[in-house]
Amino acid sequence: MVTTETQPGDAGVRPQRQANRRAWGIVVLLFLFFTLNFADKAAIGLGSQQIRADLGLTAGQYGLLSSAFFWLFAVGAVTLTAVLRKISYTWGAGLLMITWIVSMLPLTVPTSFGVLLACRIALGFFEGPAHALCQSIVADRFSPERRATAGAVVNAGSSVGPLVAAPVLTWVILTWSWHAAFMVLIALGVMWVIGWFWYTEKLPFKRSDIAAVGAAKIEDPNGAIMVPFRRLLTLQSFWGLVLLSFAGYLISSLKVAWLPAYMNEGLGYSASTVGMLVTLPYIVAVAVLLSAGMLSGRLLRKGYSSRVARGYLTGAYLLVGGASMMIFTQLPAGPAQLVFVIAAFAVNSVAFSVAFAGASDFLPARQRVAFFGCIIAAYSVAGIVAPYALGLIVEHAPTAAQGYSTGFMLVGLVVCVLGVVGALMLNPEKSKARLEKLTAEYAARGSRCAS
């Protein structure tokens, strides 16, 4: 007869390990979720030449098309995050992906500029809450020391998406058409939905405060802190996060919308060469993002404040990116310039993982999604303004190369300023103390009213 010896504590260790494995499995699926999220953004930029030729668009009109994605992005970020607070994470992420698929369906066949514009607006609306939902799911399953790393893995999809999409979708577009690129994205989206509902917990549609079976139990140190949501928007750290993420999204939106066109029209590379070169910033961005997340966690473990590990660290990366952008506009096309182009466009996602982890350090879990949604709504303005403004600058410049140089110089300067100011304003420790004080005031006020 074979006997199994059970050690004290085994009953608690095994479920915890299973919960940890499931948590990391969800991180992988969210990484793929974000990968598709950014691959569909990149599709328009990669197909810019065919789209402009098919529809007869000027540079300004194409810039308008690129910015259209963000016209309702803020509205979606605020309104849909409010809805997602009441829906289980299983259904929330699954339904978002389904709406993305539906929004891209009309682009699989020849269409008009108006339909293309409407589809991009709709897709932007439904993608608005994606980042907030992903960061909230991660924050609920990981401790502060591991939260930035897990969030960085998810956000790596923002680089891997365009990285994979650039060569693959460029080949699809050159072999068939830009419509075929959206067919590929839709097929991948359907596969993700099937995998998501198969792997995740079978939760009811309506969200419950009771932890799902098998989910990792992470103690929320801020669980007792609950103040009216509007007071959260008055915190200095909220506006610090807005500035940091705004700077990051200036880079993100231009990387997706204009980097391929810049390499082609501004630097003179062929379309096939651009399909390969444009992947370089995304390759480096993955390494930068993951190393930044691990560095942030390491700083916390060594006793550094969250202000240093989240705010100062994010600001430093953005400062490097902004300075690199200004430098590459002054260099001739070649290997040296390409190094600074890569550096400029590889740091943007740090603002959406490390900095957002700083918000989770002081926010109550129940208020994270809505808080993140408001930040996303604010920084999405960068996605509206930057692509359109750069298109106008290029259109009215004596040459395309000169227009790109002027536009990127201005953006680099803005990124540097916002990175420094935002880093100084993001102070999770101070914000947590402020929330505790407000909680005590509201509690005292409630006691007086009760008496």
Side-chain angles (χ1 to χ4, degrees):
M1 183 177 67
V2 178
T3 60
T4 302
E5 183 177 356
T6 303
Q7 297 295 329
D10 279 357
V13 171
R14 189 174 294 110
Q16 183 62 38
R17 287 177 179 171
Q18 292 174 346
N20 288 338
R21 284 197 296 270
R22 179 172 290 276
W24 281 107
I26 290 172
V27 164
V28 171
L29 284 168
L30 292 177
F31 159 77
L32 296 174
F33 180 81
F34 236 49
T35 298
L36 288 172
N37 181 289
F38 275 77
D40 63 43
K41 290 185 179 75
I44 289 292
L46 295 169
S48 60
Q49 278 190 314
Q50 280 194 15
I51 292 171
R52 289 169 66 177
D54 287 353
L55 302 179
L57 306 181
T58 65
Q61 288 175 317
Y62 172 72
L64 185 67
L65 175 63
S66 298
S67 70
F69 178 89
F70 300 98
W71 291 359
L72 293 182
F73 193 87
V75 178
V78 174
T79 58
L80 294 182
T81 50
V83 174
L84 291 173
R85 291 176 63 186
K86 302 178 181 180
I87 299 175
S88 66
Y89 85 93
T90 298
W91 283 97
L95 288 176
L96 280 184
M97 179 61 76
I98 291 171
T99 60
W100 301 355
I101 292 170
V102 173
S103 298
M104 290 188 287
L105 276 174
L107 305 184
T108 59
V109 295
T111 187
S112 65
F113 175 72
V115 172
L116 177 56
L117 192 71
C119 287
R120 297 304 286 178
I121 294 172
L123 184 62
F125 174 78
F126 289 113
E127 288 196 357
H131 185 223
L133 179 64
C134 289
Q135 290 300 315
S136 178
I137 294 172
V138 167
D140 287 345
R141 282 162 176 75
F142 292 90
S143 62
E145 292 78 11
R146 303 175 71 183
R147 193 172 286 155
T149 301
V153 171
V154 174
N155 276 283
S158 65
S159 295
V160 174
L163 171 63
V164 175
V168 174
L169 294 186
T170 296
W171 177 79
V172 170
I173 290 168
L174 293 177
T175 304
W176 290 286
S177 70
W178 62 274
H179 302 289
F182 286 99
M183 294 181 188
V184 172
L185 292 171
I186 287 172
L188 293 173
V190 171
M191 292 172 60
W192 185 91
V193 170
I194 294 171
W196 176 255
F197 281 109
W198 170 79
Y199 181 82
T200 55
E201 291 116 355
K202 305 304 182 285
L203 300 177
F205 183 79
K206 188 175 181 180
R207 183 173 183 175
S208 173
D209 290 333
I210 301 175
V213 176
K217 180 175 177 57
I218 301 299
E219 295 297 332
D220 180 14
N222 310 310
I225 304 174
M226 287 295 290
V227 299
F229 183 77
R230 68 181 185 279
R231 300 303 297 267
L232 299 179
L233 306 186
T234 66
L235 295 174
Q236 177 180 293
S237 287
F238 170 78
W239 294 103
L241 278 165
V242 166
L243 296 181
L244 291 172
S245 55
F246 192 95
Y249 219 69
L250 282 174
I251 301 174
S252 296
S253 61
L254 293 180
K255 179 163 65 173
V256 171
W258 280 108
L259 183 57
Y262 168 60
M263 288 185 164
N264 178 246
E265 298 176 357
L267 302 183
Y269 295 107
S270 66
S272 58
T273 303
V274 168
M276 298 303 297
L277 289 181
V278 79
T279 64
L280 296 178
Y282 293 104
I283 293 173
V284 177
V286 174
V288 169
L289 184 57
L290 295 177
S291 62
M294 290 186 287
L295 178 57
S296 179
R298 184 178 179 83
L299 289 172
L300 285 180
R301 288 192 296 271
K302 283 185 170 293
Y304 286 90
S305 67
S306 185
R307 186 180 195 184
V308 172
R310 313 300 200 196
Y312 290 176
L313 183 62
T314 301
Y317 276 95
L318 289 173
L319 190 59
V320 170
S324 297
M325 190 173 289
M326 290 190 288
I327 292 171
F328 79 62
T329 64
Q330 305 304 306
L331 296 177
Q337 187 200 47
L338 194 58
V339 169
F340 285 100
V341 170
I342 293 170
F345 288 102
V347 302
N348 52 300
S349 293
V350 175
F352 313 123
S353 57
V354 174
F356 269 59
S360 297
D361 291 344
F362 66 84
L363 283 172
R366 289 170 55 190
Q367 294 177 314
R368 284 175 188 147
V369 175
F371 187 87
F372 291 155
C374 290
I375 295 172
I376 293 169
Y379 78 57
S380 68
V381 176
I384 299 173
V385 175
Y388 184 46
L390 184 60
L392 292 178
I393 292 173
V394 171
E395 185 174 333
H396 292 92
T399 65
Q402 187 173 335
Y404 285 118
S405 179
T406 301
F408 283 126
M409 171 65 77
L410 293 174
V411 172
L413 179 61
V414 172
V415 168
C416 288
V417 173
L418 295 182
V420 172
V421 177
L424 294 174
M425 294 181 70
L426 177 56
N427 190 337
E429 288 86 3
K430 182 179 179 181
S431 295
K432 184 175 181 179
R434 175 62 177 162
L435 289 179
E436 289 173 344
K437 182 179 179 181
L438 288 173
T439 301
E441 291 176 358
Y442 279 101
R445 190 181 305 170
S447 297
R448 288 195 298 270
C449 292
S451 61

